[in-house]
Amino acid sequence: QFYIIISIISYFFVKKFLKLNFYLILILILISFFLSNFFALFESNLNFYLIFSRLWELLTGFYLVKFENKKYFKPYTQRFLILISLLILIFSFLFFSEENAHPSFKTLPVVVATSIFILFIEKHKLLYHFFSNKIMVWPGLMSYSLYVWHYPIFIFVKYLNLTQANNL
């Protein structure tokens, strides 16, 4: 439902309200962010799967496009921001766990760091070549396919009761 609904809404939203997008998207991001923090406290499972509590993470990409070709930052500032964002992402791998409410305010540094990394990675030649080589790109290409297939397999295993020790 998520990819179908969001695609249709995004298409018509961009088509009809192109001039108002910047502020409307910002308002949607803020509403979605506050909803995700609210649901993180009371309905964490629902929070993870609700479109409106995850929307702020996706709509951040809208602002990436807005800033993509702008020269707001000097090259040395861009390199510094890339390194800081990479450190935040590394620390998130080390300290983010299942106990953390997700999405919530704890997800914000990861989303911002990822956005900065995507925005400026081409400016840092060494990191760009490292992250764009075939070995690093391959898991990213496979991840969506694995994501799409894992859930039906989990349901199939659960339905056939294959998770019981004697069935294995």
Side-chain angles (χ1 to χ4, degrees):
Q1 104 233 1
F2 183 81
Y3 295 104
I4 294 170
I5 292 171
I6 292 301
S7 298
I8 293 169
I9 289 173
S10 298
Y11 175 77
F12 287 110
F13 189 75
V14 169
K15 209 65 157 149
K16 299 289 181 193
F17 303 107
L18 193 57
K19 298 211 190 292
L20 302 174
N21 269 347
F22 191 81
Y23 297 109
L24 289 175
I25 296 290
L26 181 62
I27 290 168
L28 283 173
I29 287 173
L30 292 174
I31 291 170
S32 175
F33 182 71
F34 288 119
L35 277 175
S36 71
N37 284 292
F38 175 77
F39 283 119
L41 296 173
F42 302 106
E43 287 291 334
S44 60
N45 200 24
L46 185 63
N47 187 36
F48 186 80
Y49 291 106
L50 271 179
I51 290 174
F52 295 109
S53 63
R54 301 301 298 261
L55 198 57
W56 70 274
E57 296 168 309
L58 294 172
L59 289 178
T60 305
F62 174 81
Y63 287 98
L64 286 181
V65 173
K66 290 286 189 187
F67 293 111
E68 189 174 34
N69 294 322
K70 308 291 187 223
K71 304 224 181 214
Y72 293 111
F73 302 100
K74 300 207 181 299
Y76 61 87
T77 307
Q78 293 174 2
R79 286 191 293 274
F80 175 74
L81 288 173
I82 286 175
L83 294 175
I84 293 297
S85 68
L86 191 59
L87 286 174
I88 291 170
L89 292 172
I90 290 168
F91 281 117
S92 72
F93 280 112
L94 299 174
F95 298 112
F96 211 77
S97 69
E98 290 180 15
E99 288 80 32
N100 295 102
H102 176 69
S104 69
F105 69 93
K106 293 178 182 177
T107 316
L108 184 62
V110 176
V111 171
V112 171
T114 303
S115 299
I116 290 170
F117 190 81
I118 291 169
L119 188 61
F120 297 130
I121 188 64
E122 290 181 354
K123 309 296 187 227
H124 196 290
K125 300 264 187 249
L126 180 66
L127 286 177
Y128 177 75
H129 288 299
F130 176 75
F131 284 106
S132 63
N133 76 50
K134 290 181 181 183
I135 295 170
M136 294 300 288
V137 170
W138 185 80
L141 294 173
M142 293 301 300
S143 66
Y144 183 73
S145 300
L146 293 174
Y147 166 75
V148 169
W149 280 100
H150 89 280
Y151 195 70
I153 291 171
F154 284 168
I155 296 300
F156 181 70
V157 166
K158 185 177 178 182
Y159 180 74
L160 292 178
N161 236 0
L162 295 176
T163 56
Q164 301 299 324
N166 57 357
N167 291 338
L168 290 176

